[in-house]
């Protein structure tokens, strides 16, 4: 799903008001030139100084226990203080607001089915899980840009386990069994990190990420529909006004969100206004759509809202500590296979989220740390089982959206034009804009707009820990009585619209979607430099077809009782790409264009390079 990040970076259009001066750029280049190769291994690498070959130390990770964890800590430790001081930047404010709404509300909505079916989880458990993940990864993690929380796959996993054990004659206590599942998964997480198995991430390419991202996008769309259909099925008669109002609110949320997004990309208004719309369009749409439910006759219809419970109280009045060690020994053994499946899910989902948040589209300068963060994920999984919380892990598309919202934009370097502008300013003349010369006036206008749209490009990312910690802390604050009451005022229809917006927005930027768009795009408006022009159309269709088969298998299995096994299907995408796809009739050049590493060599160096 890395392909849509470039779309996200253009959509959000976050920027600082004043791009770096030429003197600052020259000073930065001089500082970068002073770094040697050893500095790369010790976390002095930057986005402009990428190692061509993996460090020799990285090649022995598979032979040394805990070497990956140790190197991750050594690489990230020198940056720890700057991770906090660098947060003194305005970009942190809109990033916090955006991710708070994009994290907590979908997490609660994903858990609605789990909350209503099992009655073992509540809104308090979801909020506490989100806070725990944000605190652990922002304070102790090596990749604080990665947003973790409650996802759709983990709710499917937990609900499927509930359905399985409740069908038994003498079912165990659900939370006790889940506690052991999480414990087994946590142990395997720690073993994975110690044995440096995160090095297998080198085989994760855009093929797997786009396929998984395509699946996640459709899951968002599906859950949005389910939020609405549940209200239609639970009302008497089916055309209850409240359910119909929920549909109107969902469409209102969807339309206003895309409206603000579209306006932020147009040439209307001042650039500060466009940036404001890009930063706060989603929160404004959510607040406005929720307020509409209490206006006029909509309020009389009484649309369904979010379920809430007492402040800081778990569901069902149970105690927070889950005594899972009281589970019978037979069920402890049965929990092991489920723990392995959960480990497979988190190994792919969380690490891919981390890769997406550190994609090559982002000009990052601080090193990653996949091994250490995966060890911490085992810690959060264990705590979740101990407290009876849904286990958190990396979020797609929230993780890359977080990095996108922290982008600092600036003018691209154009020394020749800068020299012309300087000379013109001295002589009092104005340098005219030179559009691309084409035979078609429509093409000329198209290229002129394209040139204008790239007037600002990503120049850096505000790499810090505060925005992640702040959005998690807001989840904890939301557990207080007054704010829980406010949360309970949000209509479920608005959440459906939020699901549709996030799913459609991620879907349109997905690599699979972009390849499909290539076929239906007007060939005259397809840039001459489009890499897909070098690939035979039959090979593009073949590559996309294989991805869609992987997506279809994953999506189909989640609709059956065998949904517990969908992480295995997802993981099979890796051997499919490594062993099967290269045997298909692609040339090396075509395969290099159709599929690329998810992240840059700078990021992938943490796991020993890329495929």
């Amino acid at each position: 799903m890395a392909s849509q990040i470039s779309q996200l970076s253009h959509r959000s259009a976050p920027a600082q008001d004043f791009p770096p001066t030429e003197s600052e750029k020259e000073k930065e280049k001089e500082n970068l030139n002073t770094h040697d190769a050893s500095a790369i291994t010790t976390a002095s690498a930057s986005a402009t100084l990428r190692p061509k070959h993996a460090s020799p130390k990285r090649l022995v990770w598979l032979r040394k226990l805990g070497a990956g964890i140790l190197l991750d800590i050594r690489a990230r430790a020198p940056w720890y203080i700057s991770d906090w001081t660098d947060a003194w930047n305005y970009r942190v404010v809109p990033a916090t607001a955006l991710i708070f709404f994009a994290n907590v509300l979908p997490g609660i909505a994903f858990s609605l089915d789990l909350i209503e079916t099992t009655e073992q989880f509540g809104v308090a458990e979801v909020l506490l899980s989100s806070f725990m993940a944000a605190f652990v990864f922002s304070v102790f993690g090596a990749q604080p840009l990665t947003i973790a929380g409650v996802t759709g796959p983990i709710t499917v996993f937990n609900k499927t386990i509930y359905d399985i054990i409740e069908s038994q004659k003498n079912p165990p206590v659900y939370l006790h069994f889940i506690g052991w599942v999480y414990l087994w998964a946590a142990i395997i997480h720690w073993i994975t990190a110690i044995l440096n198995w995160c090095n297998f991430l080198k085989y994760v390419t855009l093929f797997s990420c786009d396929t998984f991202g395509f699946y996640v996008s459709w899951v968002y769309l599906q859950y949005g529909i389910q939020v609405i259909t549940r209200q239609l099925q639970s009302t008497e008669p089916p055309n209850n006004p409240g359910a119909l109002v929920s549909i109107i609110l969902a469409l209102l949320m969807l339309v206003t969100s895309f409206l603000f997004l579209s306006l932020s990309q147009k040439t209307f208004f001042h650039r500060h206004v466009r940036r404001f719309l890009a930063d706060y369009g989603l929160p404004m749409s959510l607040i406005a759509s929720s307020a509409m439910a209490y206006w006029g006759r909509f309020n009389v219809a009484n649309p369904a809202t979010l379920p809430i419970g007492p402040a800081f109280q778990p569901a069902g009045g149970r105690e927070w500590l889950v005594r899972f060690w009281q589970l019978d020994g037979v069920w402890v053994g049965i929990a092991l296979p489920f723990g392995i499946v959960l480990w497979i899910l988190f190994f792919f989902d969380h690490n891919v989220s981390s890769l997406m948040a550190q994609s090559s589209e982002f000009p990052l300068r601080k090193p990653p740390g996949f091994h250490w963060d995966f060890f911490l994920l085992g810690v959060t999984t264990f705590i979740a089982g101990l407290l009876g919380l849904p286990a958190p892990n990396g979020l797609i598309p929230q993780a890359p959206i977080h990095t996108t919202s922290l982008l600092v934009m600036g003018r691209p370097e154009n020394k020749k034009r800068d020299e012309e502008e300087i000379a013109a300013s001295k002589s009092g003349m104005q340098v005219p804009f030179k559009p691309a010369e084409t035979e078609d006036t429509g093409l000329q206008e198209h290229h002129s707009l394209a040139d204008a749209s790239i007037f600002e490009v990503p120049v850096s990312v505000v790499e810090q820990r505060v925005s992640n910690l702040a959005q998690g802390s807001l989840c904890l604050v939301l557990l207080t009585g007054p704010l829980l009451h406010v949360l309970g005022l949000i209509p479920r229809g608005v959440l459906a619209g939020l699901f549709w917006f996030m799913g459609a927005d991620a879907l349109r930027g997905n690599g699979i979607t972009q390849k499909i768009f290539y076929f239906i795009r007007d060939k005259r408006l397809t840039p001459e430099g489009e890499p897909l022009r070098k690939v035979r159309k039959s090979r593009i269709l073949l590559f996309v077809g294989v991805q869609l088969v992987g997506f279809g298998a994953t999506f189909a299995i989640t609709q059956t009782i065998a949904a517990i096994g969908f992480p295995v299907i997802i993981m099979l995408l890796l051997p499919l790409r490594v062993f099967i796809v290269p045997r298909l009739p692609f040339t090396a050049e075509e395969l290099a264009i159709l599929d690329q590493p998810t992240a840059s060599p700078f990021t992938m160096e943490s796991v020993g390079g890329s495929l």
Side-chain angles (χ1 to χ4, degrees):
M1 192 177 161
S3 299
Q4 74 265 35
I5 298 179
S6 59
Q7 298 286 336
L8 289 170
S9 61
H10 288 85
R11 293 198 299 270
S12 297
Q16 68 178 18
D17 292 342
F18 302 99
T21 62
E22 290 298 324
S23 61
E24 290 175 341
K25 294 177 181 177
E26 294 296 331
K27 183 177 180 180
E28 183 180 1
K29 291 180 180 179
E30 292 177 2
N31 293 336
L32 291 176
N33 290 335
T34 60
H35 293 296
D36 54 16
S38 62
I40 297 176
T41 312
T42 58
S44 298
S46 73
T48 56
L49 183 63
R50 305 293 170 85
K52 295 182 178 180
H53 302 286
S55 169
K57 293 183 179 180
R58 302 279 179 181
L59 300 179
V60 299
W61 280 5
L62 290 174
R63 300 198 300 268
K64 292 186 177 180
L65 297 180
I69 296 176
L70 183 60
L71 287 176
D72 286 345
I73 295 175
R74 286 180 177 177
R76 193 70 191 196
W79 299 92
Y80 191 78
I81 295 179
S82 68
D83 284 340
W84 297 102
T85 58
D86 289 347
W88 191 253
N89 189 295
Y90 172 71
R91 294 300 330 148
V92 174
V93 177
T96 300
L98 176 63
I99 291 304
F100 170 68
F101 285 105
N103 178 12
V104 63
L105 293 180
I108 295 174
F110 272 132
S111 303
L112 283 178
D113 194 22
L114 194 64
I115 292 171
E116 296 173 351
T117 302
T118 67
E119 298 182 353
Q120 302 292 322
F121 297 102
V123 173
E125 283 83 350
V126 176
L127 293 175
L128 189 59
S129 178
S130 298
F131 165 73
M132 175 189 65
F135 179 82
V136 170
F137 287 105
S138 62
V139 176
F140 304 106
Q143 300 167 137
L145 295 180
T146 302
I147 300 296
V150 179
T151 65
I154 190 62
T155 57
V156 172
F157 180 84
N158 285 342
K159 185 179 182 301
T160 304
I161 290 180
Y162 179 83
D163 293 337
I164 291 175
I165 66 174
E166 288 300 318
S167 63
Q168 306 301 313
K169 293 182 179 179
N170 296 309
V173 177
Y174 173 70
L175 289 181
H176 289 181
F177 186 78
I178 283 290
W180 271 104
V181 170
Y182 284 5
L183 176 59
W184 283 124
I187 293 173
I188 304 175
H189 276 65
W190 298 329
I191 294 174
T192 299
I194 293 173
L195 295 180
N196 315 303
W197 287 353
C198 287
N199 278 3
F200 288 105
L201 291 177
K202 68 175 64 179
Y203 301 110
V204 177
T205 63
L206 291 183
F207 172 85
S208 304
C209 292
D210 286 343
T211 305
F212 183 64
F214 202 77
Y215 162 74
V216 172
S217 299
W218 280 101
V219 167
Y220 270 74
L221 297 175
Q222 179 192 29
Y223 265 83
I225 296 174
Q226 287 181 354
V227 169
I228 298 295
T229 56
R230 285 197 196 101
Q231 298 180 57
L232 293 173
Q233 294 170 356
S234 62
T235 56
E236 294 290 343
N239 61 343
N240 183 276
L244 298 179
V245 168
S246 293
I247 297 176
I248 296 174
L249 296 176
L251 295 175
L252 179 63
M253 176 65 191
L254 176 66
V255 172
T256 53
S257 298
F258 271 115
L259 176 63
F260 285 132
L261 179 62
S262 177
L263 288 176
S264 69
Q265 299 171 345
K266 301 298 183 182
T267 56
F268 305 132
F269 313 117
H270 190 273
R271 63 190 179 97
H272 295 308
V273 177
R274 297 195 301 271
R275 289 172 183 170
F276 180 84
L277 295 177
D279 291 336
Y280 300 104
L282 180 62
M284 288 192 301
S285 300
L286 192 144
I287 294 173
S289 301
S290 298
M292 185 63 66
Y294 301 94
W295 177 69
R297 295 186 178 181
F298 283 176
N299 189 24
V300 178
N302 193 27
T305 58
L306 286 178
I308 58 173
F312 295 100
Q313 293 295 320
R318 65 174 179 86
E319 59 181 7
W320 277 111
L321 181 64
V322 176
R323 306 178 188 278
F324 61 86
W325 52 86
Q326 297 177 355
L327 187 68
D328 291 340
V330 175
W331 289 103
V332 171
I334 296 175
L336 176 58
F338 293 94
I340 295 175
V341 173
L342 181 60
W343 164 74
I344 294 174
L345 171 63
F346 279 7
F347 182 85
F348 192 90
D349 197 358
H350 184 80
N351 285 315
V352 167
S353 300
S354 300
L355 286 171
M356 310 303 330
Q358 302 172 99
S359 167
S360 56
E361 302 292 336
F362 303 126
L364 302 174
R365 61 189 181 91
K366 297 181 181 181
F370 293 93
H371 303 271
W372 172 240
D373 271 24
F374 200 69
F375 184 90
L376 290 179
L377 185 63
V379 174
T380 59
T381 302
F382 171 70
I383 296 176
L386 195 62
L387 298 179
L389 312 176
N393 71 295
L395 297 174
I396 297 176
Q398 287 89 335
I401 288 177
H402 180 225
T403 309
T404 301
S405 64
L406 292 169
L407 278 172
V408 175
M409 311 295 286
R411 290 184 58 183
E413 293 188 23
N414 190 336
K415 294 184 178 180
K416 181 178 180 180
R417 183 164 179 83
D418 289 343
E419 292 173 358
E420 292 178 356
E421 291 177 350
I422 293 174
S425 62
K426 291 181 179 179
S427 60
M429 299 176 61
Q430 182 177 1
V431 179
F433 176 73
K434 299 178 180 180
E437 296 181 359
T438 60
E439 297 180 359
D440 190 290
T441 56
L443 280 177
Q444 179 173 339
E445 180 182 359
H446 171 77
H447 287 295
S448 298
L449 291 175
D451 292 338
S453 67
I454 62 172
F455 183 75
E456 289 186 333
V457 297
V459 296
S460 65
V461 176
V462 184
E463 302 177 61
Q464 41 70 48
R465 299 174 181 268
V466 172
S467 59
N468 194 351
L469 179 61
Q471 66 89 19
S473 299
L474 289 175
C475 294
L476 189 63
V477 173
L478 202 58
L479 272 173
T480 59
L483 293 182
L484 267 180
H485 175 71
V486 174
L487 181 65
L489 297 177
I490 299 178
R492 298 191 186 188
V494 174
L495 294 186
L498 177 63
F499 270 125
W500 292 344
F501 169 71
M502 296 186 66
D505 194 35
L507 192 63
R508 69 171 186 159
N510 185 272
I512 296 177
T513 310
Q514 291 300 313
K515 292 180 178 66
I516 295 175
F517 283 169
Y518 172 77
F519 280 93
I520 63 177
R521 185 183 299 130
D522 188 338
K523 300 306 177 184
R524 297 183 306 163
L525 298 180
T526 302
E528 291 294 335
E530 170 61 56
L532 290 178
R533 285 181 175 270
K534 301 178 182 179
V535 183
R536 291 169 290 178
K537 291 184 178 181
S538 60
R539 299 305 179 262
I540 299 177
L541 288 176
L542 176 60
F543 189 83
V544 172
V546 174
Q547 289 182 299
L548 290 178
V549 169
F551 155 73
T554 306
F555 193 81
I557 196 174
T558 56
Q559 310 303 312
T560 67
I561 189 61
I564 194 71
F566 80 94
V568 178
I569 304 298
I570 295 173
M571 186 60 74
L572 289 177
L573 294 173
L574 300 186
L576 175 65
R577 169 61 182 91
V578 175
F579 299 109
I580 305 300
V581 173
R583 298 178 181 274
L584 299 178
F586 298 106
T587 65
E589 181 183 7
E590 288 175 336
L591 198 56
I593 294 174
L594 292 171
D595 190 24
Q596 300 173 8
T598 304
S600 65
F602 170 61
T603 300
M604 299 305 295
E605 194 261 349
S606 173
V607 292
S610 56
L611 180 63

